[in-house]
Amino acid sequence: MRVVIVGASGRMGLAITRAAIEMGDVMFVGAIDREGAAAVGRDLGELAGLPAIGTRVTTDLAVVLGDADVVIDFSAASATLGNLAACANAGVPIVIGTTGLDADAHSAAAVAAQHIPVLIAANTSLGVTLLLELVRQAARSLPADFDIEIVEGHHRHKKDAPSGTALALGRAAAAGRGVEFDRVAVPARTGGERQRGEIGFAVVRGGDIVGDHQVTFAGEGERVTLGHQATDRAIFARGALQAARWLVGRPAGRYEMLDVIGLKTIV
Ligand code: NAD
């Protein structure tokens, strides 16, 4: 599989590089980072703490797409629109793991998905993909007087809050309950009494937390808690590569991790 990695020298870019080199059958035909990044011009393998692989970090995605089977993008939300347009122009599928995408980015993804396969996943781990389904199922099964609260924790450098995964869990709960997420979500609660039907979020930021998520359904006299703790970024990296492998050769369209893992059948 010939891959271009975008956000090459970031925490996830390097984790994906290491996981791919370990797999042995992945070739990096491009490594993209932002203009001015310290990594530009350096060898991707060496940046990942491994022997050189002969792929240097550059800044123009369109230039390297000619040889690519798939793009894996874990960079910045501000880069998503341009990356989608470049991939759609070149006819190259894209896996987007970047979080914090706004409505414009999702609209651009819908447009690009008319031409190429586009997979967007706020979390590419197998465990979280399963958790999303379990949360949807719990929200569907439990009565509406069970209050839904989502707590997430990440490292001190994380740019967005609540995390893309926490929001995806909230959307899964809302879908299970048959309500519109945007009408019930309370992304940052400060003071005041809880309103019936809300889906509330609480955020922890500190140290090197890789990613913790906990969804609580709190009823009268009992609570159900579903959760996931990531202790190693390699889980997201392996999942992203698995998604990329699955996406190559698919028809144009929007896809998600559930499609890759085949979990849509459990409910
Ligand atoms: P990071 O800050 O360590 O790395 C981001 C990289 O992208 C940096 O090298 C930065 O220079 C580069 N970048 C910034 N703007 C760019 C641009 N315009 N073009 C190309 N490269 C650009 O962050 P990270 O921890 O690696 O996370 C990256 C993204 O992935 C974040 O949005 C994060 O929330 C998300 N993430 C997703 C998952 C998942 O499972 N989907 C897991 C972890 C992190």
Side-chain angles (χ1 to χ4, degrees):
M1 181 167 66
R2 295 168 305 168
V3 171
V4 173
I5 179 83
V6 182
S9 68
R11 281 173 287 261
M12 279 306 303
L14 295 178
I16 290 167
T17 302
R18 283 188 282 270
I21 289 173
E22 203 170 288
M23 283 174 182
D25 62 346
V26 177
M27 181 197 286
F28 285 101
V29 293
I32 302 297
D33 215 291
R34 65 178 167 78
E35 297 270 358
V40 174
R42 295 198 46 203
D43 185 277
L44 182 62
E46 288 178 350
L47 282 168
L50 299 167
I53 59 170
T55 306
R56 293 198 177 276
V57 177
T58 57
T59 57
D60 190 342
L61 176 59
V63 169
V64 294
L65 286 178
D67 292 329
D69 293 321
V70 63
V71 168
I72 302 179
D73 180 6
F74 280 72
S75 58
S78 55
T80 305
L81 257 66
N83 295 340
L84 279 163
C87 287
N89 274 339
V92 177
I94 182 168
V95 173
I96 299 177
T98 309
T99 62
L101 304 184
D102 60 13
D104 287 348
H106 284 287
S107 303
V111 172
Q114 291 169 5
H115 307 283
I116 54 168
V118 176
L119 188 148
I120 299 182
N123 194 307
T124 47
S125 90
L126 171 66
V128 165
T129 306
L130 172 65
L131 181 62
L132 285 164
E133 267 319 290
L134 295 175
V135 165
R136 198 187 323 257
Q137 196 168 5
R140 185 154 64 200
S141 307
L142 292 166
D145 63 351
F146 275 69
D147 299 325
I148 304 176
E149 290 285 313
I150 300 173
V151 182
E152 61 102 335
H154 282 88
H155 54 87
R156 61 168 71 100
H157 301 295
K158 183 154 180 66
K159 305 255 184 328
D160 48 327
S163 71
T165 302
L167 294 170
L169 288 164
R171 287 183 191 283
R177 199 167 252 191
V179 296
E180 203 180 315
F181 175 72
D182 292 329
R183 294 172 69 94
V184 295
V186 181
R189 177 176 286 117
T190 49
E193 199 174 322
R194 186 182 210 288
Q195 301 300 308
R196 187 183 161 85
E198 285 179 357
I199 297 180
F201 293 85
V203 173
V204 176
R205 288 288 175 269
D208 61 355
I209 304 171
V210 175
D212 293 349
H213 292 89
Q214 189 171 297
V215 182
T216 298
F217 297 81
E220 291 285 335
E222 61 179 339
R223 286 196 296 278
V224 177
T225 301
L226 300 169
H228 179 269
Q229 282 88 40
T231 53
D232 187 344
R233 234 164 236 111
I235 61 167
F236 309 125
R238 286 194 296 267
L241 285 158
Q242 189 180 348
R245 219 182 275 285
W246 182 89
L247 203 59
V248 174
R250 298 272 156 196
R254 265 294 289 270
Y255 299 97
E256 54 183 322
M257 281 306 285
L258 283 173
D259 297 308
V260 178
I261 290 164
L263 278 176
K264 270 188 170 158
T265 53
I266 70 163
V267 283

